[in-house]
């Protein structure tokens, strides 16, 4: 059986749809957004928050999902850290391990895990680099 994702469509009048889908396509501000089962719309990377007083906070998220409402955004992250709390040495070590795994040409599952670890580590290091630029 093909993988599915559960979908609930609810309006003020009540529930319109509940059930499983192979893919959900919805309108977004930049075009259509397609969501597949086991698909994490957020990839590992940086979340920047510009506050009303002009201050900016920087976070790292390791993937997840985002819910956008007219007056609220909710980020459901697999992992999340304040940029200042990222362990640079650990991120560099993780990147090295992932690169070594890829060079060893392990099986496809191990390669996929190594690529994911590489993406997370690279994203953490990129967030740290941006934080350094912001601080001058």
């Amino acid at each position: 059986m093909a993988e599915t994702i559960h979908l609930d469509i609810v309006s003020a009048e009540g529930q319109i749809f509940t059930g499983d889908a192979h893919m959900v396509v919805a309108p977004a501000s930049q075009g259509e957004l397609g969501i597949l089962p086991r698909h994490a719309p957020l990839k590992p990377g940086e979340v920047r928050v510009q506050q009303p007083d002009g201050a900016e906070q920087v976070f790292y998220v390791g993937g997840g999902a985002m819910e956008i409402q007219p007056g609220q955004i909710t980020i459901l992250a697999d992992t999340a850290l304040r940029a200042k709390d990222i362990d640079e040495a650990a991120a560099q070590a993780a990147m090295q391990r992932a690169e070594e795994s890829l060079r060893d040409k392990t099986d496809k599952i191990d390669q996929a895990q190594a690529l994911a670890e590489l993406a997370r580590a690279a994203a953490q290091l990129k967030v740290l680099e941006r934080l350094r630029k912001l601080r001058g």
Side-chain angles (χ1 to χ4, degrees):
M1 185 169 120
E3 288 189 48
T4 59
I5 187 169
H6 185 78
L7 173 64
D8 289 311
I9 300 176
V10 180
S11 74
E13 291 81 30
Q15 189 168 37
I16 297 169
F17 177 85
T18 187
D20 292 333
H22 293 287
M23 179 176 180
V24 177
V25 178
S29 63
Q30 299 297 315
E32 291 184 334
L33 175 67
I35 303 153
L36 299 168
R38 302 175 58 93
H39 177 234
L42 290 179
K43 65 180 187 172
E46 172 184 74
V47 173
R48 292 187 313 275
V49 179
Q50 292 191 350
Q51 296 174 292
D53 64 1
E56 182 174 82
Q57 291 200 39
V58 181
F59 301 88
Y60 162 79
V61 294
M66 183 167 48
E67 177 185 27
I68 302 170
Q69 297 287 332
Q72 177 177 339
I73 297 171
T74 303
I75 295 176
L76 302 169
D78 298 335
T79 58
L81 295 168
R82 293 182 182 279
K84 65 181 179 137
D85 295 333
I86 295 172
D87 183 339
E88 185 172 10
Q92 288 175 337
M95 183 174 255
Q96 254 183 333
R97 280 192 310 273
E99 288 170 342
E100 288 169 10
S101 292
L102 290 171
R103 278 193 299 271
D104 291 343
K105 301 206 187 243
T106 55
D107 64 36
K108 287 186 181 190
I109 292 174
D110 289 340
Q111 281 187 331
Q113 290 171 339
L115 285 170
E117 184 175 1
L118 184 63
R120 288 189 297 270
Q124 286 183 10
L125 293 171
K126 186 175 181 182
V127 169
L128 284 174
E129 181 182 320
R130 174 156 169 76
L131 185 62
R132 284 189 188 109
K133 285 181 182 176
L134 285 174
R135 292 186 175 163

